[in-house]
């Protein structure tokens, strides 16, 4: 048996975090050797054993992307994974979720509420609705804090969701291609060097981002301040507090 492992990129696609743009980079780089997959329903999850099966049954593929996979990545005697993920300032991400859901009637309760309410009332609605609070409170921490083969540990208090931040940090330490939406092009250029060290030719990003809800101008801090300024002071403070783990 050969000791040589193939290397694959596994993209953990967090909704509204530049994932569609990075998927475009992967498809431009690898064509049909980039596998995109999700289950039939948005609430499905794909665990490490199932992901391992997908990778092993696609021996020609070099990149895999899904919204429904979670860290930590699988381990194998047959391949090594380069985990890829983008994080985003949580306040800007929540604003992007609202704009996207407001513009697209996708049949979800989140979209229906976004079309019904302005941003402030949509936030209030999400905080008081158990099935919607995850959109406005530490959503990225939830995505990265799961133990192996388990769902994330969590607790809820007054519409705020809290997760295991220690596990989240430990999982993130294993992500070799960890990027930031606010610095997408710069970070993908860094990814190309990481991929090259493993024998993979990852192209740099094209100039056009995909599935964006705004064309950002100004610094991250200025954009966050402008978004919070749209809200009453008490709601703005609540939103910031409800995303303290994502900020951490």
């Amino acid at each position: 048996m050969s000791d040589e492992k193939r290397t694959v990129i596994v993209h953990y696609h967090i909704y509204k975090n530049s994932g569609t743009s990075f998927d475009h980079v992967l498809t431009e780089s690898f064509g049909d050797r980039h596998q995109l997959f999700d289950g039939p329903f948005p609430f499905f999850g794909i665990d490490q054993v199932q992901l391992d099966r997908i990778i092993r049954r696609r021996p020609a593929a070099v990149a895999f992307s899904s919204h429904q996979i979670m860290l930590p990545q699988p381990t194998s005697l047959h391949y090594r994974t380069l985990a890829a993920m983008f994080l985003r300032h949580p306040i800007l991400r929540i604003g992007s979720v609202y704009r996207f859901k407001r513009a697209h009637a996708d049949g979800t309760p989140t979209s229906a509420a976004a079309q019904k309410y302005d941003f402030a009332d949509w936030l209030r609605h999400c905080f008081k609705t158990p099935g919607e609070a995850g959109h406005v409170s530490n959503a990225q921490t939830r995505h990265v804090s799961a133990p192996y083969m388990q769902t994330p540990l969590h607790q809820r208090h007054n519409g705020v969701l809290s997760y295991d931040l220690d596990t989240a940090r430990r999982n993130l330490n294993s992500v070799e291609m960890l990027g930031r939406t606010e610095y997408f092009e710069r970070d993908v250029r860094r990814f190309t060097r990481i991929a090259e060290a493993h024998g993979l030719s990852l192209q740099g990003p094209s100039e056009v981002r995909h599935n964006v809800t705004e064309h950002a101008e100004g610094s991250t801090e200025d954009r966050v301040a402008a978004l919070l300024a749209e809200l009453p002071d008490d709601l703005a403070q609540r939103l910031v507090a409800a995303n303290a783990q994502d900020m951490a």
Side-chain angles (χ1 to χ4, degrees), residues 93-159:
R93 181 185 179 277
I94 291 166
S96 180
V97 170
Y98 171 73
R99 287 189 301 273
F100 185 82
K101 289 294 187 179
R102 187 173 177 85
H104 297 83
D106 59 12
T108 63
T110 309
S111 176
Q115 292 173 0
K116 180 179 180 181
Y117 299 121
D118 64 15
F119 185 47
D121 283 341
W122 178 75
L123 291 172
R124 294 187 183 99
H125 165 79
C126 289
F127 278 126
K128 70 181 182 182
T129 306
E132 298 297 293
H135 294 298
V136 296
S137 180
N138 293 321
Q140 295 171 98
T141 307
R142 178 189 66 80
H143 203 94
V144 303
S145 65
Y148 186 82
M149 291 294 293
Q150 298 181 46
T151 57
L153 304 174
H154 75 280
Q155 58 187 7
R156 183 192 306 269
H157 181 69
N158 292 334

Side-chain angles (χ1 to χ4, degrees), residues 7-10 22 26 30 62 73 80-86 172-180 186-204:
T7 299
V8 297
I9 297 170
V10 178
F22 188 58
L26 292 174
F30 305 118
V62 295
Q73 59 263 49
R80 68 173 59 85
T81 59
L82 292 178
M85 173 180 285
F86 284 84
L172 283 176
N173 282 337
S174 70
V175 179
E176 294 186 70
M177 295 181 171
L178 184 59
R180 302 152 295 174
R186 181 191 307 176
D187 286 340
V188 173
R189 284 194 291 271
R190 176 168 50 84
F191 293 177
T192 62
R193 297 191 293 273
I194 296 170
E196 184 178 7
H198 292 272
L200 299 177
S201 180
L202 181 67
Q203 298 181 14

Side-chain angles (χ1 to χ4, degrees), residues 34 44 119 231 242:
H34 174 212
F44 270 32
F119 185 47
L231 305 174

